[in-house]
Structures are given as C-alpha cells and as structure tokens.
Coordinates of all heavy atoms in Angstrom, one line a residue:
M1499 N 0.9 -1.2 0.0 CA 0.0 0.0 -0.1 C 0.9 1.2 0.0 O 1.9 1.4 0.7 CB -0.9 0.0 1.2 CG -1.9 1.0 1.2 SD -3.1 1.1 2.6 CE -2.2 0.5 3.9
K1500 N 0.4 2.2 -0.7 CA 1.1 3.4 -0.9 C 0.8 4.4 0.3 O -0.4 4.6 0.4 CB 0.9 4.1 -2.2 CG 1.9 4.9 -2.7 CD 1.6 5.5 -4.1 CE 2.4 6.8 -4.3 NZ 3.3 6.9 -5.3
P1501 N 1.7 4.9 1.0 CA 1.4 5.7 2.1 C 0.8 7.1 1.6 O 1.1 7.6 0.5 CB 2.8 6.1 2.7 CG 3.7 4.9 2.2 CD 3.2 4.6 0.8
S1502 N -0.2 7.7 2.4 CA -0.9 8.8 2.0 C -0.2 10.1 2.4 O -0.2 11.2 1.7 CB -2.3 8.7 2.4 OG -2.3 8.5 3.8
K1503 N 0.4 10.0 3.5 CA 1.0 11.2 4.0 C 2.1 10.8 5.0 O 2.3 9.6 5.4 CB 0.2 12.1 4.7 CG -0.5 11.6 6.0 CD -1.3 12.8 6.8 CE -1.7 12.2 8.0 NZ -2.3 13.4 9.0
I1504 N 3.0 11.7 5.2 CA 4.2 11.5 6.0 C 4.1 12.5 7.2 O 3.8 13.6 7.1 CB 5.5 11.7 5.3 CG1 6.7 11.5 6.1 CG2 5.6 13.0 4.5 CD1 8.0 11.4 5.2
R1505 N 4.2 11.9 8.3 CA 4.2 12.7 9.6 C 5.5 12.7 10.3 O 6.2 11.7 10.3 CB 3.2 12.1 10.6 CG 1.7 12.2 10.1 CD 0.7 11.7 11.1 NE 1.1 10.4 11.7 CZ 0.7 9.9 12.8 NH1 -0.1 10.7 13.6 NH2 1.0 8.7 13.2
Y1506 N 5.7 13.8 10.9 CA 7.0 13.9 11.7 C 6.6 13.9 13.1 O 5.7 14.7 13.5 CB 7.7 15.2 11.3 CG 8.4 15.1 10.1 CD1 7.7 15.4 8.9 CD2 9.8 14.7 9.9 CE1 8.2 15.4 7.6 CE2 10.3 14.7 8.7 CZ 9.6 15.0 7.5 OH 10.1 14.9 6.3
S1507 N 7.0 12.9 13.9 CA 6.8 13.1 15.4 C 8.1 13.0 16.2 O 9.0 12.2 15.8 CB 5.7 12.1 15.8 OG 6.1 10.9 15.9
C1508 N 8.0 13.5 17.3 CA 9.2 13.5 18.2 C 9.4 12.0 18.8 O 8.5 11.5 19.4 CB 9.2 14.5 19.3 SG 10.5 14.5 20.4
R1509 N 10.6 11.6 18.7 CA 10.9 10.2 19.3 C 10.9 10.2 20.8 O 10.9 9.1 21.3 CB 12.2 9.6 18.7 CG 13.4 10.4 19.0 CD 14.7 9.7 18.7 NE 14.9 9.8 17.3 CZ 15.7 9.0 16.6 NH1 16.2 7.8 17.3 NH2 15.9 9.1 15.4
H1510 N 11.1 11.3 21.3 CA 11.2 11.4 22.9 C 9.8 11.6 23.5 O 9.5 10.9 24.4 CB 12.1 12.4 23.2 CG 13.5 12.1 22.8 ND1 14.3 11.0 23.5 CD2 14.3 12.7 22.0 CE1 15.4 11.0 23.0 NE2 15.5 11.9 21.9
C1511 N 9.0 12.6 23.0 CA 7.8 13.0 23.8 C 6.6 12.7 22.8 O 5.4 12.8 23.3 CB 7.8 14.4 24.2 SG 7.9 15.6 22.7
N1512 N 6.8 12.1 21.6 CA 5.6 11.8 20.8 C 4.8 13.0 20.2 O 3.8 12.9 19.5 CB 4.7 10.8 21.5 CG 5.1 9.5 21.0 OD1 5.5 9.2 19.8 ND2 4.8 8.5 21.8
T1513 N 5.3 14.2 20.4 CA 4.6 15.3 19.9 C 4.7 15.3 18.3 O 5.8 15.0 17.8 CB 5.4 16.6 20.4 OG1 5.2 16.8 21.7 CG2 4.8 17.8 19.8
E1514 N 3.6 15.6 17.7 CA 3.5 15.7 16.2 C 4.2 17.0 15.8 O 3.6 18.0 16.1 CB 2.3 15.5 15.6 CG 2.3 15.2 14.2 CD 1.0 14.7 13.5 OE1 0.3 13.8 14.2 OE2 0.6 15.2 12.5
V1515 N 5.3 16.9 15.1 CA 6.0 18.1 14.7 C 5.3 18.7 13.4 O 5.3 19.8 13.2 CB 7.5 17.8 14.5 CG1 8.2 19.1 14.1 CG2 8.1 17.2 15.8
G1516 N 4.9 17.8 12.6 CA 4.1 18.3 11.4 C 3.8 17.2 10.4 O 4.3 16.0 10.7
S1517 N 3.1 17.4 9.4 CA 2.8 16.4 8.4 C 2.9 17.0 7.0 O 2.5 18.2 6.9 CB 1.5 15.6 8.7 OG 0.5 16.5 8.5
I1518 N 3.2 16.2 6.1 CA 3.2 16.7 4.7 C 2.6 15.7 3.8 O 2.7 14.5 4.1 CB 4.5 17.2 4.1 CG1 5.6 16.2 4.5 CG2 5.0 18.6 4.7 CD1 7.0 16.5 3.8
P1519 N 2.0 16.0 2.7 CA 1.4 14.9 1.8 C 2.5 14.2 1.3 O 3.6 14.6 1.0 CB 0.7 15.8 0.6 CG 0.7 17.2 1.2 CD 1.8 17.4 2.2
F1520 N 2.1 12.8 1.1 CA 3.2 11.9 0.7 C 3.8 12.2 -0.7 O 5.0 12.1 -0.9 CB 2.7 10.5 0.7 CG 3.7 9.5 0.4 CD1 4.7 9.2 1.4 CD2 3.8 8.9 -0.8 CE1 5.7 8.2 1.1 CE2 4.8 7.9 -1.1 CZ 5.7 7.6 -0.2
S1521 N 3.0 12.7 -1.5 CA 3.5 13.0 -3.0 C 4.7 13.9 -3.0 O 5.4 13.7 -3.8 CB 2.2 13.6 -3.8 OG 1.8 14.7 -3.2
S1522 N 4.7 14.8 -2.0 CA 5.9 15.6 -2.0 C 7.0 15.1 -1.1 O 8.1 15.8 -1.0 CB 5.5 17.1 -1.5 OG 5.1 17.0 -0.3
A1523 N 6.8 13.9 -0.5 CA 7.8 13.6 0.4 C 8.4 12.1 0.0 O 9.3 11.7 0.7 CB 7.1 13.2 1.8
E1524 N 8.0 11.7 -1.2 CA 8.7 10.4 -1.7 C 10.1 10.4 -1.7 O 10.8 9.5 -1.3 CB 8.1 10.1 -3.1 CG 6.9 9.1 -3.0 CD 6.4 8.9 -4.4 OE1 5.8 9.8 -5.0 OE2 6.5 7.7 -4.9
E1525 N 10.6 11.6 -2.1 CA 12.0 11.6 -2.1 C 12.7 11.6 -0.8 O 13.7 10.9 -0.6 CB 12.3 13.1 -2.8 CG 13.7 13.3 -3.4 CD 14.1 12.2 -4.5 OE1 13.2 11.7 -5.1 OE2 15.3 11.8 -4.5
I1526 N 12.0 12.2 0.1 CA 12.6 12.3 1.4 C 12.5 10.8 2.1 O 13.6 10.3 2.8 CB 11.7 13.1 2.4 CG1 11.7 14.6 1.9 CG2 12.2 13.1 3.9 CD1 10.7 15.5 2.6
I1527 N 11.5 10.2 1.8 CA 11.3 8.8 2.4 C 12.4 7.8 1.8 O 13.0 7.0 2.5 CB 10.0 8.1 2.0 CG1 8.9 8.9 2.9 CG2 9.9 6.7 2.4 CD1 7.7 8.3 3.1
R1528 N 12.7 8.0 0.5 CA 13.7 7.3 -0.2 C 15.1 7.5 0.6 O 15.9 6.6 0.8 CB 13.8 7.6 -1.6 CG 13.9 6.2 -2.5 CD 13.6 6.6 -3.9 NE 12.2 6.9 -4.3 CZ 12.0 7.9 -5.2 NH1 13.0 8.6 -5.6 NH2 10.8 8.2 -5.5
E1529 N 15.4 8.8 0.8 CA 16.6 9.1 1.5 C 16.7 8.6 2.8 O 17.8 8.0 3.2 CB 16.8 10.6 1.5 CG 17.0 11.4 0.3 CD 18.4 10.8 -0.5 OE1 19.3 10.7 0.1 OE2 18.2 10.4 -1.7
L1530 N 15.6 8.6 3.6 CA 15.6 8.2 4.9 C 15.8 6.5 4.9 O 16.4 6.0 5.9 CB 14.3 8.5 5.6 CG 14.1 9.8 6.1 CD1 12.8 10.2 6.5 CD2 15.1 10.1 7.4
E1531 N 15.1 5.8 4.0 CA 15.2 4.4 4.0 C 16.8 4.1 3.7 O 17.2 3.1 4.2 CB 14.4 3.8 2.9 CG 13.0 3.7 3.4 CD 12.0 3.2 2.4 OE1 12.2 3.3 1.2 OE2 11.0 2.7 2.7
K1532 N 17.3 4.9 2.9 CA 18.9 4.6 2.7 C 19.6 4.8 3.9 O 20.5 4.1 4.3 CB 19.3 5.7 1.5 CG 19.5 4.8 0.2 CD 20.2 5.8 -0.8 CE 19.2 6.6 -1.6 NZ 19.7 7.7 -2.3
A1533 N 19.3 5.8 4.6 CA 20.0 6.3 5.7 C 19.8 5.3 6.9 O 20.7 5.1 7.7 CB 19.5 7.6 6.3
E1534 N 18.6 4.7 6.8 CA 18.2 3.6 8.0 C 19.1 2.3 7.8 O 19.3 1.8 8.7 CB 16.8 3.3 7.8 CG 16.2 2.9 9.1 CD 14.7 2.8 9.0 OE1 14.2 1.9 8.3 OE2 14.0 3.6 9.5
Q1535 N 19.4 2.0 6.6 CA 20.1 0.8 6.3 C 21.5 0.9 7.0 O 22.2 1.8 6.9 CB 20.3 0.5 4.9 CG 18.9 -0.1 4.3 CD 19.0 -0.1 2.8 OE1 20.0 0.1 2.2 NE2 17.9 -0.5 2.3
G1536 N 21.8 -0.1 7.8 CA 23.2 -0.3 8.4 C 23.1 0.5 9.8 O 24.1 0.8 10.4
Q1537 N 21.9 0.9 10.3 CA 21.8 1.7 11.5 C 20.8 0.8 12.4 O 19.9 0.2 11.9 CB 21.3 3.0 11.4 CG 22.2 4.0 10.6 CD 21.9 5.5 10.8 OE1 21.4 5.7 12.0 NE2 22.1 6.2 9.9
D1538 N 21.1 0.9 13.7 CA 20.2 0.2 14.7 C 19.0 0.9 14.9 O 17.9 0.3 15.0 CB 21.0 0.0 16.0 CG 22.2 -0.9 15.9 OD1 22.2 -1.6 15.0 OD2 23.0 -0.7 16.7
E1539 N 19.0 2.2 14.7 CA 17.8 3.0 15.0 C 16.8 3.1 13.9 O 17.2 3.2 12.8 CB 18.3 4.4 15.5 CG 18.6 4.6 16.9 CD 18.7 5.9 17.4 OE1 19.8 6.5 17.2 OE2 17.6 6.6 17.8
Q1540 N 15.6 3.1 14.2 CA 14.5 3.1 13.1 C 14.0 4.6 13.2 O 13.6 5.2 14.0 CB 13.3 2.1 13.4 CG 13.8 0.8 13.4 CD 13.1 0.2 12.2 OE1 11.9 0.2 12.1 NE2 13.7 -0.6 11.3
F1541 N 14.0 5.2 11.9 CA 13.6 6.5 11.8 C 12.1 6.4 11.2 O 11.3 7.3 11.4 CB 14.4 7.3 10.8 CG 15.8 7.4 11.2 CD1 16.9 6.8 10.7 CD2 16.0 8.2 12.4 CE1 18.2 7.0 11.1 CE2 17.4 8.4 12.8 CZ 18.3 7.8 12.3
L1542 N 11.9 5.3 10.5 CA 10.5 5.3 9.8 C 9.6 4.2 10.5 O 10.0 3.2 10.8 CB 10.8 4.9 8.4 CG 11.5 5.9 7.6 CD1 11.8 5.2 6.1 CD2 10.7 7.1 7.3
E1543 N 8.3 4.6 10.6 CA 7.3 3.7 11.1 C 6.1 3.8 10.1 O 5.7 4.8 9.7 CB 6.7 4.1 12.4 CG 7.6 3.7 13.5 CD 7.1 4.2 14.9 OE1 6.0 4.7 15.0 OE2 7.9 4.3 15.9
Y1544 N 5.7 2.6 9.7 CA 4.5 2.5 8.9 C 3.3 2.0 9.6 O 3.4 1.0 10.3 CB 4.9 1.5 7.6 CG 6.0 1.8 6.8 CD1 7.3 1.5 7.2 CD2 5.8 2.6 5.8 CE1 8.5 1.8 6.4 CE2 6.9 3.0 5.0 CZ 8.2 2.6 5.3 OH 9.3 3.0 4.5
D1545 N 2.2 2.7 9.5 CA 1.1 2.2 10.2 C -0.1 1.8 9.3 O 0.1 1.8 8.0 CB 0.6 3.2 11.3 CG -0.2 4.4 10.7 OD1 -0.7 4.3 9.5 OD2 -0.2 5.4 11.3
K1546 N -1.1 1.2 9.9 CA -2.1 0.4 9.1 C -2.8 1.4 8.2 O -3.4 1.0 7.1 CB -3.2 -0.1 10.0 CG -2.7 -1.2 11.0 CD -3.8 -1.9 11.7 CE -3.3 -2.1 13.2 NZ -3.5 -1.0 14.1
N1547 N -3.1 2.7 8.6 CA -3.7 3.6 7.8 C -3.0 4.1 6.6 O -3.5 4.9 5.9 CB -4.1 4.8 8.7 CG -4.6 4.6 10.0 OD1 -5.5 3.6 10.0 ND2 -4.3 5.1 11.0
G1548 N -1.8 3.6 6.4 CA -1.0 4.0 5.2 C -0.3 5.2 5.4 O 0.2 5.7 4.4
S1549 N 0.0 5.7 6.7 CA 0.8 6.8 6.8 C 2.2 6.4 7.2 O 2.3 5.3 7.9 CB 0.2 7.9 7.6 OG 0.1 7.4 9.0
V1550 N 3.0 7.2 7.0 CA 4.5 7.0 7.4 C 4.7 8.0 8.5 O 4.6 9.3 8.4 CB 5.4 7.1 6.3 CG1 6.9 6.9 6.7 CG2 5.1 6.1 5.2
T1551 N 5.4 7.6 9.6 CA 5.9 8.4 10.6 C 7.4 8.4 10.6 O 8.0 7.5 10.7 CB 5.3 8.0 12.1 OG1 3.8 8.0 12.0 CG2 5.7 9.0 13.0
V1552 N 7.9 9.7 10.6 CA 9.3 9.8 10.7 C 9.6 10.3 12.2 O 9.1 11.2 12.8 CB 9.7 11.0 9.7 CG1 11.4 11.1 9.9 CG2 9.6 10.6 8.3
R1553 N 10.4 9.5 12.8 CA 10.9 9.8 14.1 C 12.0 10.8 14.2 O 13.1 10.5 13.6 CB 11.4 8.4 14.8 CG 10.3 7.6 15.1 CD 9.4 8.0 16.2 NE 8.3 7.2 16.4 CZ 7.3 7.6 17.2 NH1 7.3 8.7 17.8 NH2 6.2 6.8 17.4
C1554 N 11.7 12.0 14.6 CA 12.7 13.0 14.7 C 12.7 13.5 16.1 O 12.2 12.9 17.0 CB 12.4 14.1 13.7 SG 10.8 14.8 13.8
I1555 N 13.2 14.7 16.3 CA 13.2 15.2 17.7 C 12.8 16.7 17.6 O 13.1 17.4 16.7 CB 14.7 15.2 18.2 CG1 14.7 15.7 19.7 CG2 15.7 15.8 17.3 CD1 15.9 15.2 20.4
C1556 N 11.8 17.0 18.5 CA 11.2 18.4 18.6 C 12.1 19.4 19.1 O 13.1 19.0 19.8 CB 9.9 18.3 19.2 SG 9.9 18.1 21.0
E1557 N 11.9 20.7 19.0 CA 12.8 21.6 19.5 C 12.9 21.6 21.0 O 14.1 21.8 21.5 CB 12.1 23.0 19.1 CG 12.9 23.8 18.1 CD 12.2 25.0 17.7 OE1 12.4 26.0 18.5 OE2 11.7 25.1 16.6
Q1558 N 11.9 21.3 21.7 CA 12.0 21.3 23.1 C 12.9 20.2 23.7 O 13.7 20.4 24.5 CB 10.5 21.0 23.7 CG 10.1 22.0 24.7 CD 8.8 21.6 25.3 OE1 7.9 21.0 24.6 NE2 8.6 21.9 26.5
C1559 N 12.7 19.0 23.0 CA 13.6 17.8 23.4 C 15.0 18.0 23.0 O 15.9 17.6 23.8 CB 13.0 16.6 22.8 SG 11.4 16.0 23.5
E1560 N 15.2 18.7 21.9 CA 16.6 18.9 21.4 C 17.3 19.7 22.5 O 18.4 19.6 22.7 CB 16.5 19.7 20.0 CG 17.9 19.3 19.5 CD 17.9 20.0 18.0 OE1 16.9 20.7 17.7 OE2 19.0 20.0 17.4
Q1561 N 16.5 20.7 22.9 CA 17.1 21.7 24.1 C 17.4 20.9 25.2 O 18.5 21.0 25.7 CB 16.1 22.8 24.2 CG 16.4 24.0 23.3 CD 15.4 25.1 23.7 OE1 14.7 25.1 24.6 NE2 15.3 26.1 22.7
S1562 N 16.5 20.1 25.7 CA 16.8 19.4 27.0 C 17.8 18.4 26.8 O 18.7 18.2 27.7 CB 15.5 18.6 27.4 OG 14.3 19.1 26.9
L1563 N 17.8 17.8 25.6 CA 18.9 16.8 25.3 C 20.3 17.5 25.4 O 21.3 16.8 25.9 CB 18.6 16.3 23.8 CG 19.5 15.1 23.4 CD1 19.2 13.9 24.3 CD2 19.1 14.8 22.0
R1564 N 20.5 18.7 24.9 CA 21.6 19.4 25.0 C 22.0 19.7 26.4 O 23.3 19.6 26.8 CB 21.6 20.8 24.2 CG 21.9 20.5 22.8 CD 22.5 21.6 22.1 NE 22.1 21.5 20.7 CZ 21.3 22.3 20.0 NH1 20.7 23.4 20.5 NH2 21.1 22.0 18.7
Q1565 N 21.0 20.0 27.3 CA 21.3 20.4 28.7 C 21.5 19.1 29.5 O 22.3 19.2 30.5 CB 20.1 21.1 29.2 CG 20.2 22.6 28.7 CD 18.8 23.2 28.7 OE1 17.9 22.8 29.4 NE2 18.7 24.4 28.0
N1566 N 20.7 18.0 29.2 CA 20.8 16.8 30.1 C 21.1 15.6 29.2 O 20.3 14.8 29.1 CB 19.6 16.6 30.8 CG 19.1 17.8 31.5 OD1 19.7 18.2 32.5 ND2 18.1 18.4 31.1
P1567 N 22.2 15.5 28.5 CA 22.5 14.3 27.7 C 22.4 13.1 28.5 O 22.0 12.0 27.9 CB 23.9 14.6 27.2 CG 24.5 15.6 27.8 CD 23.3 16.4 28.6
D1568 N 22.8 13.0 29.7 CA 22.9 11.7 30.4 C 21.5 11.2 30.7 O 21.2 10.1 30.8 CB 23.6 11.9 31.8 CG 25.1 12.2 31.6 OD1 25.6 12.0 30.6 OD2 25.7 12.7 32.5
Y1569 N 20.6 12.1 31.0 CA 19.2 11.8 31.3 C 18.6 11.1 30.1 O 17.9 10.1 30.3 CB 18.4 13.1 31.7 CG 16.9 12.8 31.8 CD1 16.4 12.2 32.9 CD2 16.1 13.3 30.9 CE1 15.1 11.9 33.0 CE2 14.7 13.2 30.9 CZ 14.1 12.4 32.0 OH 12.8 12.2 32.2
Y1570 N 18.8 11.6 29.0 CA 18.1 11.1 27.8 C 18.8 9.7 27.4 O 18.2 8.9 27.0 CB 18.1 12.0 26.6 CG 17.0 12.9 26.7 CD1 17.0 14.1 27.5 CD2 15.8 12.5 26.1 CE1 16.0 14.9 27.5 CE2 14.7 13.3 26.2 CZ 14.8 14.5 26.9 OH 13.7 15.3 27.0
A1571 N 20.1 9.6 27.6 CA 20.7 8.3 27.4 C 20.1 7.3 28.2 O 19.9 6.2 27.8 CB 22.2 8.5 27.6
L1572 N 19.9 7.6 29.5 CA 19.3 6.7 30.4 C 17.9 6.3 30.0 O 17.5 5.1 30.0 CB 19.4 7.3 31.8 CG 18.9 6.4 32.9 CD1 20.0 5.3 33.2 CD2 18.8 7.3 34.2
R1573 N 17.1 7.2 29.8 CA 15.8 6.9 29.4 C 15.7 6.1 28.1 O 14.7 5.3 27.9 CB 15.0 8.3 29.1 CG 14.1 8.8 30.2 CD 13.4 10.0 29.9 NE 12.5 9.9 28.5 CZ 11.3 10.2 28.4 NH1 10.7 10.7 29.4 NH2 10.8 10.1 27.3
K1574 N 16.5 6.3 27.2 CA 16.5 5.4 26.1 C 16.7 3.9 26.5 O 16.1 3.1 25.9 CB 17.7 5.8 25.1 CG 17.4 5.7 23.6 CD 18.5 6.2 22.9 CE 18.6 5.4 21.6 NZ 19.7 5.7 20.7
W1575 N 17.5 3.7 27.4 CA 17.8 2.3 27.8 C 16.6 1.7 28.6 O 16.3 0.5 28.5 CB 19.0 2.2 28.7 CG 20.4 2.3 28.0 CD1 21.2 3.4 28.0 CD2 20.8 1.3 27.2 NE1 22.1 3.0 27.0 CE2 22.1 1.8 26.7 CE3 20.5 -0.1 26.9 CZ2 22.9 1.0 25.8 CZ3 21.1 -0.8 26.1 CH2 22.5 -0.3 25.6
L1576 N 15.9 2.7 29.2 CA 14.7 2.1 30.1 C 13.5 1.9 29.3 O 12.7 1.0 29.6 CB 14.4 3.2 31.1 CG 15.5 3.4 32.3 CD1 15.2 4.5 33.1 CD2 15.7 2.0 33.1
Q1577 N 13.4 2.5 28.0 CA 12.1 2.3 27.3 C 12.1 0.9 26.6 O 13.1 0.4 26.1 CB 12.1 3.4 26.2 CG 11.3 4.5 26.7 CD 11.5 5.7 25.8 OE1 12.0 5.7 24.7 NE2 11.0 6.9 26.3
Ligands
LIG2107 ZN1 9.9 16.1 21.9

C-alpha cells in the first residue's frame, strides 16, 4: 500500500511536529530508507492507515537533550 502522508513526530515525547502530503515526500522517504540501512535506530514507522511516521526530535527535546545528555541516554535504555 502506498502511504498517503508523512508525519513527523518526536521520538522522545511523541509530539507531532508536522505532516506533509506523501506525494511531496517520496524523495525524503527514499533518502531516509537509505540512511536507515546499516543503523540500529529506526527512523521510519509504517502504520495500518498507510501513513508513514518519521521519528525526529522536537525543538523542546533537542534543547533538553543538550542540557541533560545523560538523562536522555538513560531513558533510552529504560524504554
Ligand atoms: Zn519532543
């Protein structure tokens, strides 16, 4: 099934950062799939509704991450 849209959501707090129609995002998805190969972390999630979620990081979490790198490293292990 062809995804209908691509959503960006924060991998830490699940906040939806934004979404764009898939037609303008095919190129991005292809790039992300390439980037994902050879990495442990998953950037892309496909759901039943045919949308693709890109796991990114929101501004807020990025700031906290810079301030408390240890805290986030720990949380990642606990999840
Ligand atoms: Zn966040």
Side-chain angles (χ1 to χ4, degrees):
M1499 189 178 32
K1500 207 176 152 119
S1502 55
K1503 68 171 185 171
I1504 177 170
R1505 292 187 308 161
Y1506 288 84
S1507 79
C1508 178
R1509 65 169 76 201
H1510 294 288
C1511 66
N1512 264 330
T1513 296
E1514 191 168 317
V1515 181
S1517 68
I1518 44 172
F1520 184 73
S1521 52
S1522 62
E1524 263 179 292
E1525 197 58 29
I1526 299 171
I1527 295 206
R1528 229 172 286 140
E1529 287 306 309
L1530 282 167
E1531 278 175 342
K1532 254 189 268 166
E1534 206 173 68
Q1535 283 170 6
Q1537 294 199 33
D1538 293 334
E1539 276 191 272
Q1540 289 249 311
F1541 296 114
L1542 293 171
E1543 274 176 21
Y1544 299 89
D1545 75 20
K1546 300 185 219 82
N1547 309 318
S1549 62
V1550 179
T1551 303
V1552 178
R1553 289 290 174 190
C1554 55
I1555 185 162
C1556 71
E1557 251 174 72
Q1558 233 186 329
C1559 288
E1560 201 183 359
Q1561 274 178 13
S1562 334
L1563 191 64
R1564 275 202 204 117
Q1565 282 155 19
N1566 312 288
D1568 295 343
Y1569 170 73
Y1570 274 89
L1572 188 69
R1573 259 184 54 132
K1574 211 177 146 184
W1575 281 106
L1576 292 174
Q1577 268 169 5

